[in-house]
Amino acid sequence: MSPTLALEVSQLRVVRQHNEILKSLSFEVAPGELVGLLGPSGSGKSTLMRSLLGVQAITSGSALALGEEVGAPALRRRMGYMAQSPAIYTDLSVSENLTYFAGVLGVDRSQVEHVLEVVNLRALASRLVASLSGGERSRVSLGVAMLGAPPLLILDEPTVGLDPVLRQDIWNTFAQLVEGGTTVLVSSHVMDEAARCGRLLLLREGHLLFDDTPAQLLSLTRAHAYDDAFVRLITSAP
């Protein structure tokens, strides 16, 4: 028996105020994949992520996460989400934030120590979030999403505004999670981050333009850089 897919999306459409935001998207994500959801601002990335989390009404089509219809109560502890803006309390310490959210999720407090280790924040556990850098706050948000060791993580622009060194640290963490069997879907509008993913989903104006590996994107477009590859893909699209 084949393992349950992490994500199974079929002909997914989202229409808001008579505007078609997502246009019949279909794709699958296997367990343990690191998938980059890339595209310019306004391409539909956040709407797709909200749809997968079950907080965006789907107009037609279907979306399953870990074998369940998105939004099902059974998924609440099996999916972790990191929003683009850190959803953490700046007047609490790193440890206090994780302990608070562990309580909200009904997760054993021992998870806090584990998460501190994974996101490399043990040395900062007692520091107020208000005193942390942008990259450190991003790691706290990632830690919150990881509480309970969900098998599927959905991360919305987690590296936006970070310098190259901090971006490298965050991507290293994603790679470690995938090595441990976690499925990670991470959005970005920075095309250079495509190379860090095992697979790419490229969106533009609600259309899925590409679904394959980074190497295949460069080969298909005969480009040497991912920015150029995306431009060539757009201009050749019907």
Side-chain angles (χ1 to χ4, degrees):
M1 183 176 179
S2 60
T4 302
L5 290 167
L7 291 170
E8 187 174 1
V9 176
S10 178
Q11 299 298 310
L12 179 66
R13 292 180 66 245
V14 171
V15 177
R16 289 201 304 259
Q17 297 179 341
H18 307 293
N19 293 318
E20 191 176 27
I21 310 300
L22 298 180
K23 304 173 182 179
S24 297
L25 306 186
S26 296
F27 62 89
E28 296 178 349
V29 175
E33 280 196 279
L34 174 53
V35 179
L37 177 61
L38 287 92
S41 297
S43 61
K45 300 189 302 296
S46 291
T47 298
L48 174 56
M49 289 189 153
R50 288 173 56 82
S51 299
L52 298 176
L53 291 163
V55 297
Q56 168 65 58
I58 294 173
T59 304
S60 62
S62 64
L64 301 179
L66 305 171
E68 302 275 356
E69 187 174 346
V70 294
L75 291 173
R76 288 173 185 167
R77 295 186 185 180
R78 302 185 67 206
M79 296 175 66
Y81 173 59
M82 179 178 171
Q84 192 173 137
S85 299
I88 49 181
Y89 293 101
T90 58
D91 58 342
L92 297 179
S93 70
V94 172
S95 182
E96 287 169 342
N97 265 281
L98 292 171
T99 299
Y100 169 75
F101 284 107
V104 170
L105 294 169
V107 172
D108 192 284
R109 298 294 176 89
S110 64
Q111 278 284 315
V112 171
E113 292 300 314
H114 172 70
V115 165
L116 284 171
E117 189 70 35
V118 174
V119 297
N120 195 25
L121 284 175
R122 187 177 295 281
L124 302 177
S126 62
R127 286 266 302 272
L128 288 180
V129 167
S131 70
L132 301 182
S133 68
E136 290 163 346
R137 293 188 190 197
S138 292
R139 294 211 300 274
V140 177
S141 292
L142 178 59
V144 170
M146 289 171 51
L147 286 168
L152 173 60
L153 286 175
I154 294 181
L155 313 174
D156 192 358
E157 301 269 9
T159 63
V160 67
L162 302 186
D163 66 46
V165 174
L166 293 174
R167 282 169 51 197
Q168 177 70 45
D169 287 344
I170 292 288
W171 279 98
N172 286 343
T173 301
F174 298 160
Q176 291 168 9
L177 290 169
V178 169
E179 286 178 6
T182 303
T183 305
V184 179
L185 177 67
V186 54
S187 77
S188 177
H189 64 271
V190 181
M191 286 302 299
D192 284 348
E193 296 193 326
R196 305 179 188 274
C197 303
R199 179 156 148 243
L200 302 176
L201 301 173
L202 299 189
L203 288 184
R204 181 173 184 259
E205 296 179 350
H207 290 284
L208 182 59
L209 296 186
F210 181 85
D211 176 4
D212 211 320
T213 65
Q216 184 60 27
L217 175 63
L218 295 181
S219 175
L220 178 67
T221 59
R222 299 182 179 180
H224 297 290
Y226 290 101
D227 280 333
D228 291 339
F230 191 51
V231 170
R232 293 184 186 187
L233 196 66
I234 290 171
T235 56
S236 65

